[in-house]
Amino acid sequence: DPLGINYMLGCQLLEPGAKSIAEFLYREEGLNKTAIGEFLGEREELHLQTLKAFVELHQFSNLNLVQALRQFLWSFRLPGEAQKIDRMMEAFATRYCNCNAPVFQSTDTCYILSFAIIMLNTSLHNPNVKDKTTLERFISMNRGINNGGDLPVPLLTKLYDSIRNEPFKIPEDDGNDLTHTFFNPDREGWLLKLGGRVKTWKRRWFILTDNCLYYFEYTADKEPRGIIPLENLCVKEVHYPRKPYCLEMTNPNSRGQRIKACKTETDGRVVEGKHQSYTICAASADERDSWIEAIRASITRDPFYDLVSLRKKKIINQGNQD
Ligand SMILES: *[C@@H]1O[C@H](CO)[C@@H](O)[C@H](O)[C@H]1NC(C)=O
Ligand SMILES: *[C@@H]1O[C@H](CO)[C@@H](O)[C@H](O)[C@H]1NC(C)=O
């Protein structure tokens, strides 16, 4: 009971029910905002109701979407799980649209744009992201999201400028923001890779980016020897004789089948990979663990993309039917 809710209910300092709990979470100063996020993210009925009431306490009328998001994301700390974030952002989008009826064609539009803005914040302000989103790219990313139509360019420009001039603040910012969720922590380095057919170890330069693992023979090579798309894979530590710091990537849904990947033969032909699993070996336990963490971060960001792309499809289909 990190927020003291049960205690206060017990002493009758707080009336039971979602409304009064939401008021307490919204108005009480000094509460732990991570704990508020955890409370609001739970799936039980009381928590769902409290989330709804909590979001309704926010006044978003006449605020642009960035101003509203600033307020919302400051009132608690978003938890890390996709389903929780989905519920919270859905509640936010519904509330925003109720407060600002004519701005967006639907809640989905508002939801998608909110995610785009959070990603823009990371792209513009996180020093690890090298490829900064331009206004033009931001506008083109959001084509067709208003039920098949485009949002007005002046609106998108205003939101873009607002984020560029001032990053989002989130409470209890320990540097572990949604960056991990949306962007691959780029990582590169030498690792040993076990052959697919011939079980020999080859030293390769690995680069993790764009949800793929690329490996090269030399750091300066332009063309990779192989590309492993990380979609659907899972990664774990594995013990291999005389190689203590190994990790293994497999597809848990289709064991025994080849992993979709490609490699370049020595004569330059690009062929399908022959691996049912990939075994890679690092030079130390620390290195192995950071690779596992980075690969995992890169795999688990997928659910979020899925959430957003699902809504985009929905909206674009609706737009086509009109
Ligand atoms: C806030 O709550 C979270 C989760 O309940 C906890 O991990 C964290 O240590 C708390 N922070 C402080 C400053 O008490
Ligand atoms: C926005 O970016 C800043 C700088 O990287 C970061 O501290 C903050 O947590 C980000 N906000 C969100 C909502 O991701």
Side-chain angles (χ1 to χ4, degrees):
D1 192 17
L3 295 165
I5 290 177
N6 289 332
Y7 171 79
M8 297 206 1
L9 288 170
C11 314
Q12 296 178 350
L13 289 168
L14 190 62
E15 279 176 47
K19 261 218 160 82
S20 64
I21 297 176
E23 291 255 353
F24 169 69
L25 296 180
Y26 184 73
R27 299 198 200 288
E28 185 72 19
E29 308 234 338
L31 291 181
N32 178 332
K33 292 190 177 181
T34 305
I36 297 181
E38 283 170 2
F39 187 91
L40 295 174
E42 295 300 329
R43 262 192 72 180
E44 288 85 55
E45 193 54 32
L46 175 66
H47 294 252
L48 294 175
Q49 291 300 326
T50 307
L51 171 64
K52 188 161 178 285
F54 181 83
V55 175
E56 279 169 4
L57 287 167
H58 288 80
Q59 278 309 331
F60 296 140
S61 304
N62 300 316
L63 296 185
N64 71 37
L65 190 59
V66 168
Q67 293 168 321
L69 272 170
R70 286 191 199 282
Q71 206 194 100
F72 186 63
L73 296 175
W74 186 247
S75 64
F76 67 100
R77 166 115 188 210
L78 269 183
E81 289 143 77
Q83 289 314 315
K84 292 184 181 174
I85 294 185
D86 181 51
R87 279 201 294 279
M88 291 171 154
M89 295 307 291
E90 169 78 37
F92 167 78
T94 305
R95 175 68 180 158
Y96 185 84
C97 287
N98 285 342
C99 291
N100 298 280
V103 178
F104 300 115
Q105 291 276 326
S106 76
T107 308
D108 290 326
T109 308
C110 180
Y111 175 103
I112 293 170
L113 187 58
S114 301
F115 270 94
I117 291 170
I118 292 174
M119 288 160 70
L120 177 69
N121 171 71
T122 301
S123 166
L124 294 183
H125 297 292
N126 189 303
N128 294 327
V129 180
K130 286 161 211 107
D131 186 20
K132 303 288 179 202
T133 304
T134 60
L135 174 62
E136 291 67 36
R137 178 131 55 94
F138 183 67
I139 290 170
S140 77
M141 270 168 60
N142 290 305
R143 289 246 156 79
I145 67 167
N146 207 15
N147 283 10
D150 292 345
L151 290 165
V153 168
L155 170 69
L156 293 176
T157 306
K158 195 167 177 190
L159 300 180
Y160 181 93
D161 287 342
S162 173
I163 291 293
R164 196 192 48 200
N165 295 337
E166 196 189 338
F168 274 127
K169 287 197 187 60
I170 58 172
E172 283 142 43
D173 200 344
D174 50 10
N176 191 0
D177 56 17
L178 294 170
T179 310
H180 288 281
T181 313
F182 291 118
F183 287 89
N184 294 329
D186 280 344
R187 212 191 140 78
E188 52 188 14
W190 288 108
L191 294 166
L192 293 177
K193 177 185 160 297
L194 186 63
R197 220 160 12 100
V198 187
K199 300 290 173 199
T200 53
W201 293 94
K202 295 257 169 60
R203 189 165 176 258
R204 295 287 181 240
W205 180 253
F206 277 82
I207 294 185
L208 174 67
T209 188
D210 290 336
N211 208 23
C212 285
L213 203 49
Y214 298 79
Y215 55 92
F216 300 79
E217 193 158 0
Y218 304 103
T219 50
D221 282 356
K222 297 242 165 13
E223 295 296 320
R225 289 298 299 266
I227 305 174
I228 310 168
L230 296 173
E231 211 178 328
N232 302 326
L233 296 190
C234 81
V235 57
K236 64 171 198 300
E237 190 182 325
V238 67
H239 295 279
Y240 209 85
R242 277 169 292 147
K243 290 273 186 285
Y245 312 121
C246 286
L247 60 94
E248 184 191 56
M249 290 181 295
T250 53
N251 184 341
N253 301 320
S254 57
R255 285 210 168 267
Q257 286 174 30
R258 277 185 191 173
I259 292 177
K260 279 202 184 60
C262 64
K263 62 176 260 185
T264 315
E265 297 285 30
T266 31
D267 62 8
R269 279 177 310 127
V270 177
V271 297
E272 234 180 278
K274 297 184 184 64
H275 287 261
Q276 297 180 4
S277 68
Y278 283 90
T279 308
I280 291 167
C281 175
S284 70
D286 273 355
E287 232 180 70
R288 175 201 57 208
D289 293 345
S290 8
W291 273 100
I292 290 182
E293 195 182 310
I295 292 170
R296 222 167 250 162
S298 161
I299 296 171
T300 50
R301 77 170 196 182
D302 262 355
F304 297 86
Y305 273 111
D306 290 352
L307 291 177
V308 174
S309 67
L310 219 80
R311 293 205 187 218
K312 279 199 179 172
K313 274 190 206 132
K314 187 172 144 198
I315 271 185
I316 287 163
N317 287 340
Q318 276 169 0
N320 289 344
Q321 279 159 20
D322 289 346

